[in-house]
Amino acid sequence: MNAPSVARLDRLQAALPWLCAAGLPLAFYLKAYDPALIKDITLQAAAWIALGVWLARALEAGRFELPARRVAIAAVGAALLVWTALSFAWNPYPAVSLFPALRQIALLTLFLTSLVGPASTGWTLALADWSLAAVGVAAAYALLQRLGLDPLPWKDAFGSAAFGTLDSPARLAALCAAAWPLAMGRACDPEAGLGRRVLAGATGLLAAKALWASGSIVGAGLLAVGSAAFAALALSSSRDVRVRKIALAQAAIAAAICISAISPHPNPGASLPQGGRGSGAPVVIAESAFGAEHWLQAKRALAASWLGAVDMVRMRPVGGFGAGSFAAAFPDFRPPELARWTASAAQLAHPRSEPLRIAAELGLVGLGLALALALLVLVPGWRDARRRLARGDARSGALAAGLWAGCAALLAAGLVTDALASPAAGFWLAALSAGLAVLAREEGSSVVHVLPIPAPPAPRRWLARFAGGLAAAAILMPASFLVWDLRLNAGVLQARRGEPAKAIEQLGRVRLCHERGAAAHYLAARLIARRNGPGDAETALRLYRSLAEADPGLPQLALRTAEAQIHLLDWKGAEESLQLAARKEPSVDVFEHLVEVEWILKDPEKARQAALALVRLEPNAPEHWRLLAQTYRRLDRRAVAKLMNRHAAKIVDTAQSESLPPAY
């Protein structure tokens, strides 16, 4: 065994999670189509490097080592990782599912390599400090955004709500809610100097202020969860004066948020003035600046998305649809009500509930493994934090309490939001869970299970170099995603500049396995259809049909297919496509086209049914009633047609008298 090489690999393996904790919340790249894509690329690269370093270290040392007390949790984590990878065998949409599945695999890989690596209390302390430093920078930048001092082009991307360097204000709020109890835990460290304790406390206050600037009511609830968890642990176990004072402050914060949430508000939504979420505190009842009605619609859409996800689980209860497949599979299970309550129903990439997503993608087997893993982290972590605080170890006890509370806040975020789909929040949960598991199993960690590698040193050394080379080569995959994202960005810009030929070329070079690869091909097909040259309709139709197989979740795909078929005078094919669109994505355009096609096919009864659906979709539009009257006239039901025309005239008169807002 080459001891210096093993020591270097140990240091590298320990440093990778620290670098990820510091880099993922802050990374962005504005020249790409998605500025936050660099987070996923960083996460994937770190996972492959960590796996390669772990293998190289074992080969260099001549054995695999695993502390005996971490075997059970490592086995469950490995089983979940293998099940996630195996789910591709029955995934009906493997190409478009690859990118989100790689995110899940990378997070599990980093969790396992941190768990079985050289982790210790000192490693966990450093991980907490690196994480808090990154969130402090992101929170400070979010406050600058709130003050209108953001110099970057994405200014006001979410109105006046701050989002820092995260994907959205809600994800910034989730990360800040997890950072708050962790910062308070570090502020309790009696062995740290006064300056470090003050810095930790200031970071926590920055995070809380950034959460307020994000304007997220869910973030306020997560802050209450984290504060209550820390207070419960500290007040029930610790006798340290500093820890108890901070815990009492946390309890007061949690109580204030809860009281504000249940307090009656005469006009929900009025507390936030027109102009954005960031103009008020996040503890008002209505999160949306558009008022109570919009907030009610958002809650209904959330409930409808959960119902659709439950139907997916019922269809495939054991293995699910495969990792990363939710966005492509969901449209077949989307409740019809969802189309009325949200405009982005067809693009729903997450059910806003992590347990439902896991159950839909990995089945009840995957959900059971994930719950078992969570219990193996949280239950021993709770007991260990209480034991450390009770015996007067304020340093590691407060750290364990902060880690547990941070994990609780992130897990609570996963219950009602898509925050854990963010690479930064997902890695935070993986890293904090690994740190908490290490602390809970620190006693007896000197007992190690050893699996020797029966090979001479020279072949093992070559294999170690080969493992390192494979890890380096694996970085080419996330780098390819960045190249494709740059091509997507160039194609979109060229399309906006009126250069369709160049845009189609760039968009066609984006692979389907890219997160927005199917959307890029869809945009290329639409540009080809609009060009309206010889053979363009046929080419667009071929692209639409191939996309329907790869990703049926694309918005208005069936409608665009029908438009191409109408252009080619394929009326029967257009009828089938429009009927599919009417089931999945009912809209005015769909039913107007369907009425026209049914008239051409000389089926006035189906035309009447389509016009009736159009009236039900927009009952205050007089032109729809006139169209319905025409269908009755073609059925020789002139008396009913007159009634429809009178109703259309009544709508016009009512709208002109301003007693009814015109809907046309």
Side-chain angles (χ1 to χ4, degrees), residues 100-271:
L102 283 176
R103 180 187 302 136
Q104 301 170 33
I105 292 172
L107 288 172
L108 287 170
T109 300
L110 285 169
F111 170 78
L112 288 172
T113 53
S114 300
L115 187 68
V116 302
S120 61
T121 300
W123 177 87
T124 308
L125 286 166
L127 176 69
D129 290 341
W130 280 98
S131 302
L132 290 174
V135 171
V137 174
Y141 176 61
L143 293 178
L144 290 178
Q145 286 178 332
R146 179 66 180 83
L147 296 173
L149 302 177
D150 189 353
L152 298 177
W154 61 14
K155 183 180 181 180
D156 298 330
F158 293 91
S160 60
F163 59 96
T165 51
L166 278 300
D167 305 351
S168 68
R171 292 177 176 178
L172 170 69
L175 208 63
C176 289
W180 167 254
L182 186 60
M184 295 302 101
R186 293 298 293 126
C188 295
D189 187 356
E191 299 181 25
L194 178 62
R196 296 192 69 174
R197 291 201 302 271
V198 170
L199 186 60
T203 301
L205 292 174
L206 269 178
K209 186 67 175 176
L211 188 151
W212 172 85
S214 72
S216 172
I217 181 65
V218 175
L222 299 179
L223 183 66
V225 170
S227 298
F230 186 92
L233 276 168
L235 293 177
S236 64
S237 306
S238 178
R239 295 182 177 85
D240 186 273
V241 175
R242 184 186 295 113
V243 174
R244 292 185 67 85
K245 285 182 178 179
I246 291 178
L248 286 171
Q250 298 262 33
I253 291 171
I257 294 174
C258 293
I259 292 172
S260 177
I262 63 177
S263 297
H265 288 259
N267 183 15
S271 300

Side-chain angles (χ1 to χ4, degrees), residues 509-595:
R509 296 169 67 185
V510 180
R511 297 294 181 88
L512 279 175
C513 58
H514 182 273
E515 186 177 23
R516 293 177 178 81
H521 287 238
Y522 179 50
L523 178 56
R526 293 200 62 186
L527 291 173
I528 292 171
R530 290 175 184 173
R531 194 167 55 183
N532 204 21
D536 283 342
E538 291 86 348
T539 303
L541 184 58
R542 284 197 301 271
L543 284 173
Y544 287 144
R545 284 174 173 168
S546 64
L547 287 171
E549 296 178 1
D551 186 4
L554 288 170
Q556 298 185 330
L557 180 58
L559 174 61
R560 302 308 171 198
T561 304
E563 289 175 347
Q565 290 167 327
I566 290 172
H567 186 84
L568 295 171
L569 306 182
D570 180 9
W571 305 112
K572 272 295 183 183
E575 182 187 34
E576 293 177 1
S577 299
L578 289 169
Q579 288 173 350
L580 176 63
R583 289 195 302 270
K584 287 189 173 183
E585 304 169 76
S587 67
V588 172
D589 289 340
V590 169
F591 290 116
E592 286 180 346
H593 283 305
L594 189 55
V595 171

Side-chain angles (χ1 to χ4, degrees), residues 8 28 73 130 186 209 226 269 307 334-335 347 353 373 386 392 407 422 430 432 471 515 537 561 575 611 632:
R8 284 194 295 269
F28 65 90
I73 188 172
W130 280 98
R186 293 298 293 126
K209 186 67 175 176
L307 290 175
R334 178 170 58 92
Q347 303 178 32
S353 174
L373 187 62
R386 293 198 63 191
C407 289
S422 166
L432 297 187
E515 186 177 23
T561 304
E575 182 187 34
Y632 277 110

Side-chain angles (χ1 to χ4, degrees), residues 407-638:
C407 289
L410 289 173
L411 289 172
L415 293 177
V416 293
T417 71
D418 62 346
L420 296 184
S422 166
F427 175 78
W428 257 55
L429 179 60
L432 297 187
S433 299
L436 186 60
V438 167
L439 287 179
R441 293 161 176 82
E442 189 176 35
E443 293 184 3
S445 59
S446 58
V447 180
V448 178
H449 290 304
V450 176
L451 178 64
I453 300 176
R460 285 193 285 101
R461 199 166 291 119
W462 281 105
L463 286 174
R465 293 171 183 172
F466 181 69
L470 284 179
I475 299 176
L476 294 177
M477 180 181 290
S480 300
F481 286 125
L482 179 59
V483 172
W484 295 331
D485 207 64
L486 293 174
R487 288 174 180 169
L488 173 59
N489 193 41
V492 171
L493 288 176
Q494 288 163 346
R496 291 176 178 172
R497 292 172 183 168
E499 301 174 353
K502 293 181 179 178
I504 291 168
E505 180 185 359
Q506 291 286 356
L507 295 171
R509 296 169 67 185
V510 180
R511 297 294 181 88
L512 279 175
C513 58
H514 182 273
E515 186 177 23
R516 293 177 178 81
H521 287 238
Y522 179 50
L523 178 56
R526 293 200 62 186
L527 291 173
I528 292 171
R530 290 175 184 173
R531 194 167 55 183
N532 204 21
D536 283 342
E538 291 86 348
T539 303
L541 184 58
R542 284 197 301 271
L543 284 173
Y544 287 144
R545 284 174 173 168
S546 64
L547 287 171
E549 296 178 1
D551 186 4
L554 288 170
Q556 298 185 330
L557 180 58
L559 174 61
R560 302 308 171 198
T561 304
E563 289 175 347
Q565 290 167 327
I566 290 172
H567 186 84
L568 295 171
L569 306 182
D570 180 9
W571 305 112
K572 272 295 183 183
E575 182 187 34
E576 293 177 1
S577 299
L578 289 169
Q579 288 173 350
L580 176 63
R583 289 195 302 270
K584 287 189 173 183
E585 304 169 76
S587 67
V588 172
D589 289 340
V590 169
F591 290 116
E592 286 180 346
H593 283 305
L594 189 55
V595 171
E596 177 188 356
V597 168
E598 297 299 353
W599 277 346
I600 293 173
L601 291 175
K602 299 181 180 179
D603 194 335
E605 176 57 28
K606 288 185 178 179
R608 184 193 69 83
Q609 293 174 2
L612 190 59
L614 189 59
V615 165
R616 289 170 178 165
L617 196 64
E618 287 190 355
N620 292 331
E623 64 271 19
H624 299 340
W625 289 94
R626 296 190 188 104
L627 184 62
L628 181 60
Q630 292 181 29
T631 62
Y632 277 110
R633 193 175 294 111
R634 294 201 178 196
L635 288 169
D636 202 22
R637 298 171 64 179
R638 300 184 181 278

